[in-house]
Amino acid sequence: MKRKKIWVLGAVFCTALQLLSCGKKQTAGEEKIHVGVTYYNQSDTFLNQLIACFRESLEEMEGEDSQITLTVRDAAGSQRTQDDQVKELLDAGSNVLCVNLVDRADPSEIIDLARESGVPIIFFNREPVAGDMMQWDGLYYVGADAKQSGVMQGELAAEAIKENGSIDRNKDGKIQYVVLEGEPGHQDAIIRTENAVDTLKANGIALEKLECGIANWNRAQAQNRMMQMVSQYQNKIELVLANNDDMALGASDAYEKLNYTESVLPVIFGIDGTDVGLLAVAEEKLSGTVYNDKEGQAQAMARLSLALVSGRGMEEIEFENDRYVYLNYSKITMDNIGDYLKQDEE
Ligand code: BGC
Ligand code: CA
């Protein structure tokens, strides 16, 4: 008898719970999350991998109580095109937008459109200037701290130079270096360069800058710039600091194309840890890179997308300055490349 009572009580309790969760489920059940993404250019290696990770994160998060659709548009390097894409994504019913700006200084049109529709925007990878982020409180940013990546690249290079005296090939006590820089105006270009160079100097490395070439994050452009530099400086270049892996690989391609033997190759450092970048570290084409945590960024974008639409889970997200999420970089050399290659296979 007693047992039955407990059972009955239990049943009542369960029904109450069920009702509660039903109540929740009703709204949740109807929860349709339409994520609209537009990114600056589909030729970008890092961004393609980041968006692939984002797709995976969203798929993992899709559950009984949420249906997620993802629409991705390539702005092909035109801000005008991107503005139109945002309009189209909103018309098609996106209830959260993820925008990788073409021109990070020109988000006003997009912000106006989103605000009119009441649809929040998560900017990612190309950080709007602080003033624009204040235009509306439905704006967020997910990315990484450019300075940290520059410092880490400088540390990697300094460690290598201290460990290996033969990097200073002409034995003049200075390291002759060139820089391959990303797009002008991108937060990750100049800041990475400055901090890498400052960190080398702070570590007591005497430097001589030969040249800084802009290659817009692009492997082929970097190869061209590097070919020019090599023809100008011959065997003088001892270190290449590239703002990303694709440009570091472009530098390596240039030397390969010119059939330079290993004894006259400079050490080359990248940033990103893209699949091709990691492979190049494993093959010792690059002496090191700095991991740009695309999985972490993708996960943060997915969680934030869900939280913004459902109104749940915002408190679990770690914001800086209320609306920014920055993921940490990490250093990669031959010594720990195995961890990253494995991580990638998983
Ligand atoms: C990455 C580059 C990429 C650029 C695009 C940077 O954070 O390191 O590889 O090309 O973002 O915006
Ligand atoms: Ca030297």
Side-chain angles (χ1 to χ4, degrees), residues 231-246:
S231 79
Q232 186 172 349
Y233 300 104
Q234 307 290 331
N235 295 347
K236 265 201 191 152
I237 304 167
E238 296 171 340
L239 164 68
V240 179
L241 297 172
N243 284 168
N244 78 344
D245 281 356
D246 261 20

Side-chain angles (χ1 to χ4, degrees), residues 40 44-47 100 125-126 183 186-188 192 217 243-245 271-272 292 329:
Y40 89 106
D44 192 282
T45 308
F46 175 74
L47 278 166
N100 173 248
N125 169 265
R126 299 161 76 89
E183 267 175 286
H186 192 301
Q187 82 277 348
D188 289 338
R192 282 179 179 169
W217 307 121
N243 284 168
N244 78 344
D245 281 356
I271 292 177
D272 274 345
N292 194 353
Y329 285 99

Side-chain angles (χ1 to χ4, degrees), residues 40 43-46 49 180-182 214-227 242 244-257 272 274-280 283 285-286:
Y40 89 106
S43 69
D44 192 282
T45 308
F46 175 74
Q49 291 191 12
L180 288 168
E181 202 152 84
I214 291 172
N216 298 307
W217 307 121
N218 181 281
R219 183 167 178 164
Q221 284 184 40
Q223 180 187 321
N224 279 336
R225 292 296 287 119
M226 201 65 215
M227 301 272 277
N244 78 344
D245 281 356
D246 261 20
M247 294 190 294
L249 284 161
S252 163
D253 294 343
Y255 282 100
E256 245 170 59
K257 205 160 178 196
D272 274 345
T274 53
D275 292 349
V276 274
L278 293 178
L279 206 64
E283 289 171 347
K285 288 183 181 173
L286 303 186

